[in-house]
Amino acid sequence: MIEQYEVRKSYRQNEILRKSFNELASGIFGINFEDWYKNGYWTDKYNPYSIVTENKVVANVSVNKMEFISNGKSVKYLQLGTVMTDKKYRNMGFIKTIMQEIEKDYYDIVDGIYLFANDSVLQFYPKFGYKKSTEYQYSKVISNKFNEVGMARDKQARQIQMNNKEEWSLFEKAIENSVNNCAFEMKNNKELIMFYVTQFMKNNVYYVENESAYVIAENNEDELFLHNIFSGKIVNVDSIVEAFGYDISKVVLGFTPLINQGYQVEKLCKDNTTLFLKGKGFDLFEEKEYIFPTLSHA
């Protein structure tokens, strides 16, 4: 019997296909979207385009509808992710078929399309007009005058226990009401942020009371990686860093700061990861030395 293949999309409410999609994603990437779906965060902003045969998902490229504030203006992008093919069905041109379907549906209605590719496919995406690009990361050495004179201060960043929906609700409201604390900031996508903080980053959410800000951060001894800040006002980043204690000697940002004075900026080089861009909406991306916020990766 000859297998029949078709492109399926917008099927998240189809339990059979969703289960098959999750099985493939779990087997290839070790991730599962079922809890995200059951918690109500999987919306049409995340739309898998899949090759399906006999109710089985065998290849996929997911479309993520993204909005960013860039240079004070709203821009609409597509981020492509969860690119995967079952081992049995590789080298059959399925990803090419899906990419062509996505471009047919979206190319004329967005400002650009982007993705993060691993080293094994660097020759593939240029065939579709994608170009390699560079992100820039900002960091700062913290001058710790209090330690120099033997003084100490209690940490003011209070860890939020993201293990119940009451805390989730408060955090969601903070995301929804937050001003821009980044020069290049993802907007109107609390669903993607909640994917992170309700799963493998649930221990990385903090509240800094003196700045009335929620912060997502990783504290690695004397280095603080600051993923994002959500607040109803523009905050003082140095004050946020201080709230994690005066043993912090360096802060690395997972976003582009509003004011980059005092920061060291370097080209971001990540193992097995290359950024590809397509479209006029990225004309200022490298010139402005932007980074896609780490919590915007899908």
Side-chain angles (χ1 to χ4, degrees):
M1 180 178 175
I2 299 175
E3 289 186 277
Q4 299 294 316
Y5 305 101
E6 61 176 334
V7 177
R8 295 287 301 271
K9 48 198 171 185
S10 302
Y11 61 75
R12 69 180 184 275
Q13 293 176 328
N14 183 316
E15 189 171 348
I16 294 174
L17 290 183
R18 191 177 70 249
K19 180 181 178 182
S20 180
F21 170 81
N22 278 320
E23 288 173 349
L24 185 59
S26 180
I28 292 179
F29 298 118
I31 57 176
N32 190 299
F33 297 82
E34 190 63 16
D35 284 346
W36 192 50
Y37 172 80
K38 289 181 177 178
N39 289 325
Y41 296 122
W42 184 343
T43 68
D44 61 3
K45 293 175 187 174
Y46 180 80
N47 189 1
Y49 275 56
S50 302
I51 298 289
V52 174
T53 178
E54 297 180 352
N55 280 326
K56 179 181 179 181
V57 174
V58 299
N60 181 81
V61 180
S62 290
V63 165
N64 299 268
K65 298 176 183 178
M66 312 292 292
E67 179 184 357
F68 284 85
I69 301 298
S70 172
N71 206 29
K73 298 180 180 179
S74 172
V75 289
K76 302 292 178 64
Y77 297 137
L78 285 189
Q79 179 183 184
L80 306 185
T82 329
V83 181
M84 55 187 181
T85 305
D86 188 301
K87 288 183 179 180
K88 179 183 174 182
Y89 296 89
R90 290 176 184 174
N91 302 311
M92 297 177 67
F94 287 152
I95 299 301
K96 178 181 178 181
T97 298
I98 296 171
M99 294 282 288
Q100 291 171 336
E101 185 77 8
I102 290 170
E103 295 228 353
K104 183 179 70 175
D105 287 352
Y106 287 103
Y107 188 70
D108 292 331
I109 60 174
V110 295
D111 298 303
I113 307 176
Y114 69 100
L115 58 94
F116 297 92
N118 62 47
D119 293 348
S120 67
V121 290
L122 298 185
Q123 307 305 316
F124 178 73
Y125 293 108
K127 297 176 182 178
F128 294 88
Y130 289 82
K131 296 181 180 179
K132 292 181 182 179
S133 187
T134 301
E135 295 180 280
Y136 292 83
Q137 189 154 61
Y138 294 78
S139 63
K140 180 191 288 189
V141 174
I142 305 300
S143 176
N144 197 329
K145 296 179 181 178
F146 283 79
N147 273 357
E148 291 173 7
V149 296
M151 295 179 65
R153 175 176 161 185
D154 292 337
K155 294 181 180 180
Q156 295 180 328
R158 176 172 59 88
Q159 187 176 17
I160 302 298
Q161 301 301 316
M162 295 294 290
N163 55 6
N164 64 74
K165 291 202 172 184
E166 184 178 349
E167 292 287 9
W168 296 4
S169 179
L170 292 172
F171 181 61
E172 283 184 63
K173 289 178 182 177
I175 297 172
E176 293 167 354
N177 297 322
S178 181
V179 301
N180 295 338
N181 273 294
C182 313
F184 182 63
E185 183 153 25
M186 179 176 71
K187 301 299 290 184
N188 298 319
N189 203 335
K190 67 180 181 183
E191 296 91 342
L192 182 51
I193 294 167
M194 295 304 289
F195 177 79
Y196 281 98
V197 302
T198 60
Q199 298 191 64
F200 46 86
M201 294 189 75
K202 60 186 177 182
N203 295 321
N204 300 112
V205 183
Y206 298 85
Y207 186 72
V208 179
E209 188 169 357
N210 66 317
E211 289 287 347
S212 301
Y214 280 90
V215 177
I216 303 177
E218 294 180 65
N219 193 343
N220 302 311
E221 296 182 354
D222 61 344
E223 181 175 302
L224 183 71
F225 192 100
L226 200 52
H227 287 280
N228 218 323
I229 301 168
F230 301 101
S231 176
K233 63 178 183 179
I234 295 175
V235 304
N236 183 326
V237 178
D238 289 346
S239 178
I240 295 291
V241 176
E242 288 178 1
F244 283 85
Y246 282 120
D247 54 343
I248 300 295
S249 61
K250 182 180 181 181
V251 61
V252 180
L253 302 183
F255 56 89
T256 310
L258 286 174
I259 301 173
N260 60 21
Q261 184 177 0
Y263 287 93
Q264 180 179 0
V265 57
E266 297 177 302
K267 289 184 178 181
L268 178 60
C269 298
K270 290 191 284 189
D271 291 340
N272 200 30
T273 303
T274 299
L275 172 64
F276 282 95
L277 307 176
K278 182 176 182 177
K280 293 183 179 180
F282 298 110
D283 288 349
L284 296 177
F285 186 83
E286 289 195 31
E287 179 184 330
K288 293 289 187 179
E289 297 185 326
Y290 284 155
I291 181 176
F292 280 102
T294 48
L295 298 183
S296 73
H297 288 224

